[in-house]
Amino acid sequence: MISAGSNDSLFLHSDGSVWGTGSVAGYSPGATSPVRALQLPNVVAVAARFFGGADFALLADGTLWGSGIGRLVDGTAQVLLQPQRVPGLSGIKAISVNDHVLALKEDGTVWAWGKNEHGQLGDGTMTDRYVPAQVTGLTNVTRIAASSGSSLALSSDGTVWVWGYTCCGAAGNGLVPANDLDPEMHHLVPAQVHGLDQVVGIAAGGVHHMALQADGTVWTWGAGNSGQNGMGNLDSY
């Protein structure tokens, strides 16, 4: 497994060890060749930091550990050079990191913490939170994806749910918010993306999102100003 952050990269070896390049904890200005990082046993997944955040490692026992900015890991103001366990979380099977952290539990619930200026934590507020809290109204989730300011979840029934910053049609409900004062710009709790079912994979971009359906087709919605929707134009959908 590999993970690319804003200023570092993580590599999970088959023996469960983690290696990194760039601004991994303890290396300044950065490691130019792979060094041992997040020195923990039995790592099964990694997520690299974004925008000065934290690197995370998921262990086989379902616990989550991180190093970097402490408030994203253990809620402290310290810079953590050695990984510390995220308190209060167990039974984790997947993680996704951006300016906030999403953790998917084995029971299908999603937990979130970090930045929340757009409602990306899905707790009904726009208040930053540095203690994991359950995302409102989501059950039976199988996949998660965090982007800058928004979040996606895939349910076991093949439906997709989105919350947070939904500029340019990123809510997938056919509406394109006029400006930041438009209530449609910020979804504070998860809302279902219209017209999608039998989805098996998701990806969250900055202000556009993607879904892979069981028939092998790819669907996209949101901002298209750089052609990222692949529709042959620069339109938003």
Side-chain angles (χ1 to χ4, degrees):
M1 179 182 185
I2 56 176
S3 179
S6 56
N7 294 304
D8 71 342
S9 302
L10 295 179
F11 314 89
L12 177 58
H13 195 274
S14 59
D15 65 5
S17 64
V18 181
W19 297 74
T21 54
S23 61
V24 291
Y27 288 85
S28 180
T32 57
S33 58
V35 296
R36 187 72 187 270
L38 294 166
Q39 299 194 32
L40 296 162
N42 303 316
V43 177
V44 295
V46 292
R49 72 184 69 186
F50 275 80
F51 313 113
D55 291 323
F56 288 91
L58 175 60
L59 272 56
D61 64 4
T63 59
L64 186 61
W65 298 67
S67 66
I69 301 302
R71 62 183 179 177
L72 281 175
V73 180
D74 59 7
T76 69
Q78 304 177 49
V79 175
L80 304 175
L81 299 183
Q82 300 298 324
Q84 301 294 319
R85 182 177 173 180
V86 177
L89 280 182
S90 59
I92 303 301
K93 70 174 185 178
I95 51 175
S96 186
V97 176
N98 202 285
D99 56 3
H100 62 297
V101 185
L102 298 178
L104 173 61
K105 282 193 171 188
E106 292 283 356
D107 64 6
T109 60
V110 180
W111 296 69
W113 64 101
K115 289 286 189 180
N116 196 32
E117 70 269 37
H118 302 295
Q120 60 263 50
L121 299 186
D123 62 359
T125 77
M126 297 174 71
T127 302
D128 294 351
R129 179 190 296 275
Y130 294 102
V131 175
Q134 186 174 347
V135 175
T136 300
L138 284 181
T139 58
N140 301 317
V141 172
T142 60
R143 294 178 185 269
I144 50 176
S147 76
S148 178
S150 65
S151 305
L152 281 181
L154 173 61
S155 178
S156 59
D157 64 4
T159 58
V160 179
W161 299 75
V162 62
W163 62 101
Y165 190 60
T166 49
C167 164
C168 315
N173 59 7
L175 301 177
V176 179
N179 52 54
D180 279 352
L181 298 179
D182 189 328
E184 282 293 327
M185 188 71 83
H186 309 278
H187 281 242
L188 305 187
V189 296
Q192 186 176 346
V193 177
H194 292 187
L196 283 178
D197 58 14
Q198 299 184 2
V199 175
V200 296
I202 53 174
V207 284
H208 80 294
H209 304 306
M210 303 177 73
L212 172 65
Q213 287 197 318
D215 62 4
T217 58
V218 177
W219 297 74
T220 182
W221 65 99
N225 56 301
S226 297
Q228 58 265 53
N229 284 321
M231 302 298 291
N233 55 47
L234 303 180
D235 295 339
S236 297
Y237 290 87

